[in-house]
Amino acid sequence: MPRLALVIDDLGYMQPELVTRLCSLPVSFSVAVLPYQEFTRDSADIAHRLGKEVMLHLPMEPIGYPGPGRDPGPNAILYNLPEPEVRRRVRMALDGIPHRVGVNNHMGSRITPDRTRMGWVLQELKARKLFFVDSRTEKDSVAYDVAEQLGIPAVQRKVFLDDDKAFPEMEKQWDRALKLAEKEGSVLIIGHIYPETVEALEKLVPRSKGQVRFVKASELAK
């Protein structure tokens, strides 16, 4: 059966009740947890306890920062930081997420097209034997290519589930992911910990069980 890896981003600031509800879905998937948030540790612990794969959702500078809606959060990887500070921030973020086995980028459209800066970030991941998911928040991202060159297991997002939180739109993206999985053998889809997304997944996951095999992101990273 084709494989589908679902990654749910932005855990850390949402109430533990919603995280528990999400992670109670009876299939394999991965969650990406933001560092330095009120519920960062709780979220990682809940996901791990309920058998989900935990990743660090690493905050990185987007294009347009510091404009409205463009704040990646505290201690983000910013373009103008010197190399030692970038590496320190990566290590600090990694240390803040218990149970994490991989990393994906939060925002980052200013950083992911930059080979030098992605090299600094990814070398820190390699030192800890972690895998990397390129969230593809920027079409010109080189993050996946740099990971490959460094010999880091990596995979790229193909579909965003919930750019539009209306159920018919999410259903459309989900069906697109299923078709891609069938065509290519596997697909990685990213959603976010919105109440609407959790509710949608409670409908979409059960009906897809015969069509795809649900896997963790690490199983597609090669």
Side-chain angles (χ1 to χ4, degrees):
M1 257 200 293
R3 296 178 297 164
L4 183 144
L6 168 67
V7 177
I8 299 296
D9 280 354
D10 290 354
L11 279 75
Y13 67 88
M14 279 301 212
Q15 298 289 340
E17 292 74 21
L18 188 64
V19 177
T20 301
R21 187 176 152 196
L22 167 75
C23 292
S24 297
L25 286 165
V27 293
S28 265
F29 63 89
S30 308
V31 299
V33 185
L34 286 162
Y36 321 120
Q37 304 297 317
E38 185 180 357
F39 302 115
T40 291
R41 285 189 159 276
D42 290 347
S43 299
D45 285 340
I46 290 164
H48 180 69
R49 190 180 77 240
L50 292 172
K52 307 311 176 207
E53 179 171 73
V54 177
M55 299 164 58
L56 160 66
H57 198 33
L58 181 64
M60 295 184 178
E61 180 176 336
I63 292 164
Y65 172 80
R70 298 281 172 189
D71 183 2
N75 296 304
I77 306 306
L78 302 177
Y79 189 84
N80 290 325
L81 293 173
E83 179 181 351
E85 179 60 15
V86 168
R87 290 177 178 274
R88 189 188 73 82
R89 288 188 179 199
V90 174
R91 291 195 294 267
M92 190 165 72
L94 287 168
D95 290 342
I97 310 291
H99 320 297
R100 47 100 193 99
V101 291
V103 176
N104 72 341
N105 55 295
H106 172 58
M107 300 192 175
S109 50
R110 182 92 198 274
I111 305 291
T112 56
D114 188 283
R115 285 184 180 275
T116 301
R117 284 160 183 78
M118 280 314 305
W120 300 341
V121 170
L122 290 164
Q123 283 161 10
E124 294 298 327
L125 272 52
K126 184 172 185 172
R128 302 208 193 190
K129 299 184 166 55
L130 303 171
F131 71 89
F132 178 70
V133 173
D134 185 352
S135 304
R136 298 291 303 187
T137 55
E138 165 55 48
K139 66 180 185 339
D140 297 324
S141 172
V142 296
Y144 177 77
D145 299 342
V146 175
E148 256 194 335
Q149 282 164 8
L150 289 169
I152 296 166
V155 57
Q156 307 187 67
R157 172 199 62 80
K158 291 289 171 68
V159 179
F160 269 130
L161 176 62
D162 50 10
D163 278 345
D164 184 324
K165 293 187 222 173
F167 181 74
E169 286 305 314
M170 284 198 251
E171 190 173 34
K172 201 181 291 177
Q173 295 307 319
W174 186 261
D175 290 342
R176 199 178 131 229
L178 294 178
K179 284 193 182 78
L180 268 172
E182 204 173 316
K183 184 175 157 216
E184 297 179 10
S186 65
V187 71
L188 188 135
I189 179 169
I190 289 182
H192 300 81
I193 185 139
Y194 306 132
E196 298 90 337
T197 301
V198 175
E199 194 176 323
L201 287 169
E202 287 169 344
K203 296 175 186 152
L204 295 168
V205 165
R207 73 159 85 147
S208 312
K209 271 200 166 164
Q211 293 169 269
V212 287
R213 185 157 66 82
F214 288 90
V215 297
K216 296 166 180 174
S218 59
E219 294 176 61
L220 296 191
K222 56 181 187 295

